Amino acid sequence: MHCAPAGCSSKAISAKQMNPRVSILVAAWNAAAYIAETIQSVQSQSFASWELILVDDGSTDETAEISRKYATSDQRIKIYQQPNQGAHIARNYAFSKSSGDYVVILDADDRILPKKIETQVKILDSNLNYDVVYGDTWHCDQFMNRVVLESKKYPAQHISGDIFDEIILGNRFAVHAGMVRRVVLEDVGLHDPNPNLIADWDFWVRVAEKYRFFYDNQVVAEYRIHPGMSANIDSGKKQFHQRMNTVANIERLSRYALVSRSIKNNIMFANARFAQKYGLHAEAIEIAKKMIFDQPLRIRNYLLYGYSLLNKCGGRA
């Protein structure tokens, strides 16, 4: 079993483990098919000073047993268990047990590439004006065959600096492509306990309200798309309501009041397009009506309304 990068003795790792630079948080629920690959991707890092805090969220498969085998031979891996409460609660628990200067959130079915931690620690160590660094991600099939780079799938989505006005339209990057300073999480918190949110997006928006992001275009992560993931098993209506609940949280942020009317209209447009994606044309029509009332001279709003109305009347609702 691979317990450390080449050139790092167990004695050296033990010393570093007393004060790890990076905490990697993993929430795992029935992830037995993937969890070994996820853990191995952490163990393969060129940067040795990390701790992996894995919380088994009430799994009924062999997730905990597999994870413990890795923890037995690598003291940097710590395993905790809780009754099933959801990934957002498990991540919060993992953070409460962590101690690193920097934090990475990693899903139990994804992988990080070998230079990710080393590269991003160097960037944050040398750029005190930035509090989050993130990179590019391979979108893969269920067997981790690489399909497309996120930067190619969503051109111009990755940006640096004050990204609040952009990220309130929708999430900008895979969560495990990022690294954030611990002090930021201590300030804004990790996840809202409400399960009916898009947890990653809600978190990064709260970070972006106060802190600056740096995009480094190196590829640092692999994102597995498979039939069992929530995006594929949750109904479109559920995902739409999660988005709208997250938008409601955004609207309660103090900085939201400073956002321009045009950007607020863009948020509604994004909400409507999200509804259309899942065939929720009645919901899209109601949003379009609000957009027209808000900005009656914007042609796009009428086109959106007409398109949604045609689809609803055409029996696609």
Side-chain angles (χ1 to χ4, degrees):
M1 186 178 298
H2 183 185
C3 295
C8 293
S9 69
S10 59
K11 182 178 180 180
I13 289 174
S14 178
K16 291 180 178 180
Q17 177 62 15
M18 295 176 64
N19 186 27
R21 294 297 314 284
V22 180
S23 296
I24 301 163
L25 314 181
V26 176
W29 179 74
N30 287 351
Y34 309 120
I35 193 62
E37 290 182 51
T38 300
I39 294 173
Q40 288 166 10
S41 79
V42 176
Q43 290 183 312
S44 297
Q45 291 299 302
S46 59
F47 187 88
S49 182
W50 51 261
E51 62 176 356
L52 173 58
I53 312 295
L54 188 150
V55 175
D56 175 55
D57 186 38
S59 295
T60 56
D61 64 4
E62 297 179 344
T63 297
E65 180 181 347
I66 294 169
S67 301
R68 286 195 197 99
K69 289 179 180 178
Y70 286 90
T72 298
S73 58
D74 192 336
Q75 294 182 359
R76 297 172 296 177
I77 300 173
K78 304 170 185 177
I79 310 299
Y80 298 91
Q81 289 185 281
Q82 67 173 27
N84 181 249
Q85 299 178 66
H88 60 307
I89 300 299
R91 287 176 179 176
N92 286 345
Y93 182 27
F95 179 63
S96 75
K97 297 295 184 179
S98 70
S99 58
D101 300 323
Y102 302 130
V103 175
V104 172
I105 299 169
L106 175 61
D107 284 337
D109 51 2
D110 293 328
R111 299 191 303 209
I112 53 176
L113 299 184
K115 292 285 188 180
K116 172 192 158 67
I117 302 300
E118 178 184 359
T119 299
Q120 295 188 332
V121 166
K122 286 180 179 177
I123 290 172
L124 289 179
D125 277 352
S126 60
N127 291 276
L128 299 182
N129 290 328
Y130 293 103
D131 302 287
V132 179
V133 59
Y134 69 101
D136 205 352
T137 302
W138 278 109
H139 286 216
C140 305
D141 65 18
Q142 68 184 96
F143 306 107
M144 276 303 190
N145 297 309
R146 295 173 175 177
V147 178
V148 63
L149 281 172
E150 190 171 78
S151 58
K152 301 296 183 182
K153 188 175 182 179
Y154 305 111
Q157 178 168 281
H158 299 148
I159 55 176
S160 294
D162 179 354
I163 71 169
F164 183 77
D165 286 356
E166 289 79 20
I167 202 168
I168 60 177
L169 301 177
N171 210 359
R172 314 299 289 191
F173 57 93
V175 68
H176 59 307
M179 178 182 288
V180 57
R181 297 185 192 277
R182 181 180 196 83
V183 293
V184 172
L185 276 77
E186 290 173 343
D187 178 25
V188 306
L190 184 45
H191 291 314
D192 186 311
N194 182 356
N196 297 311
L197 298 172
I198 302 175
D200 295 350
W201 182 31
D202 179 76
F203 166 64
W204 290 125
V205 167
R206 285 184 283 109
V207 172
E209 185 182 24
K210 297 182 178 182
Y211 297 98
R212 293 171 60 83
F213 289 59
F214 180 80
Y215 171 57
D216 175 62
N217 64 6
Q218 296 185 64
V219 184
V220 297
E222 292 173 314
Y223 172 63
R224 189 193 305 265
I225 300 172
H226 60 89
M229 63 194 303
S230 59
N232 287 330
I233 62 176
D234 289 344
S235 69
K237 187 173 286 289
K238 178 178 179 179
Q239 293 185 59
F240 175 71
H241 285 309
Q242 288 176 330
R243 178 179 175 89
M244 297 308 294
N245 287 336
T246 306
V247 170
N249 267 11
I250 292 170
E251 291 173 345
R252 286 191 284 269
L253 296 175
S254 58
R255 187 169 170 185
Y256 182 79
L258 305 176
V259 172
S260 72
R261 191 172 181 180
S262 178
I263 292 175
K264 290 176 180 177
N265 199 267
N266 288 343
I267 295 174
M268 288 191 282
F269 182 78
N271 294 341
R273 292 297 301 271
F274 194 90
Q276 288 175 341
K277 175 182 177 181
Y278 293 105
L280 304 174
H281 300 296
E283 288 84 347
I285 287 170
E286 292 306 309
I287 295 171
K289 287 179 181 178
K290 294 177 182 178
M291 293 172 64
I292 292 169
F293 179 80
D294 179 64
Q295 289 196 314
L297 300 181
R298 201 164 187 178
I299 300 300
R300 180 190 67 176
N301 297 344
Y302 295 93
L303 294 175
L304 176 69
Y305 175 79
Y307 177 78
S308 299
L309 187 62
L310 283 173
N311 279 288
K312 184 175 185 295
C313 294
R316 300 183 188 179

